Amino acid sequence: MEDSVLKFYDELAEDYHLIFVDWHLAIARQSEILYKIIQSKLNLSSMQQVSLLDCSCGIGTQAIGLANYGFHVTATDISAVSVKRAEKEAARYGVKINFGVADFRELNTYVSGLFDIVLSADNAIPHLLTDKDLHKACQNMYEKLHHNGLLLVTIRDYDAMVIEKIITTHPNVLDEGKRMTFQVYDWAEDGKTYTVKQFIMREINGEWKTKHNSTQYRALLREEINKVLRMIGFVNIEWHFPENTGYYQPILTARKV
């Protein structure tokens, strides 16, 4: 994982909510879907005693929503700036979350205890550009789970993206035409990695301001992830797709034996 990842999220933390049409609605909607998947996998009648580690929490989009459902949430991220913003947002929502700064390749070093659920959402795993780093992160997630614990990961549909090789997203025009967001993708020649350029444009006091942030991703295919998870010891590996869940990305679930 390169320094550009940390720089990307540190610089984007203040404005990250502007990527969404309605960030608060996204918190509610995403947590509702994740809650249903978790409940279907763990068959629990109550969430009051369920511990969850969100190991790439960003500004708290999933952690806050799931804390609202009663999970005992610990939330970490490599970006201290994002974690600080998440702490403020959790306080506004009135939810209790144990926050910390940690690279998900080093959870065993920086996060104490074991959890019923480990979550990594919002396409964080594909920041790991090498097999070594991917294996290390997944191994750390495995080791932070209780026996029979549940792993959840959400990432972009790279199986489709490597075929389509899209170079830009459709612009989202928001706030009655006063805000626009879009991404530009610069693919490497081998098609295995790409650089994302995130643009946020806003009209402020009659003048347009543009913010641009950039980072790199790996076009991580489902079977590549499955292979690593099987090597580590995960079982019951399943993919849940947007057409069935309503979530904006494919969701991976797996269990620790």
Side-chain angles (χ1 to χ4, degrees), residues 80-93:
V81 181
S82 295
V83 170
K84 186 175 181 180
R85 166 87 191 272
E87 289 177 326
K88 292 179 180 178
E89 298 298 344
R92 290 191 183 102
Y93 270 83

Side-chain angles (χ1 to χ4, degrees), residues 81-141:
V81 181
S82 295
V83 170
K84 186 175 181 180
R85 166 87 191 272
E87 289 177 326
K88 292 179 180 178
E89 298 298 344
R92 290 191 183 102
Y93 270 83
V95 294
K96 184 179 179 181
I97 297 174
N98 179 30
F99 285 102
V101 178
D103 185 324
F104 51 31
R105 294 169 297 182
E106 299 177 343
L107 296 174
N108 269 331
T109 301
Y110 295 103
V111 181
S112 61
L114 300 177
F115 300 85
D116 299 304
I117 303 159
V118 171
L119 166 70
S120 177
D122 285 341
N123 201 51
I125 293 292
H127 282 301
L128 303 167
L129 303 182
T130 68
D131 289 342
K132 180 181 178 180
D133 278 347
L134 176 62
H135 189 281
K136 189 174 182 180
C138 292
Q139 182 71 49
N140 271 259
M141 293 177 196

Side-chain angles (χ1 to χ4, degrees), residues 155-185:
I155 73 168
R156 291 174 178 148
D157 186 355
Y158 287 111
D159 287 58
M161 284 183 64
V162 295
I163 296 172
E164 298 170 4
K165 289 290 194 308
I166 61 171
I167 59 173
T168 185
T169 60
H170 292 292
N172 280 327
V173 181
L174 309 163
D175 297 342
E176 298 180 342
K178 294 187 177 182
R179 172 165 54 107
M180 183 167 63
T181 68
F182 61 94
Q183 294 181 337
V184 175
Y185 301 153

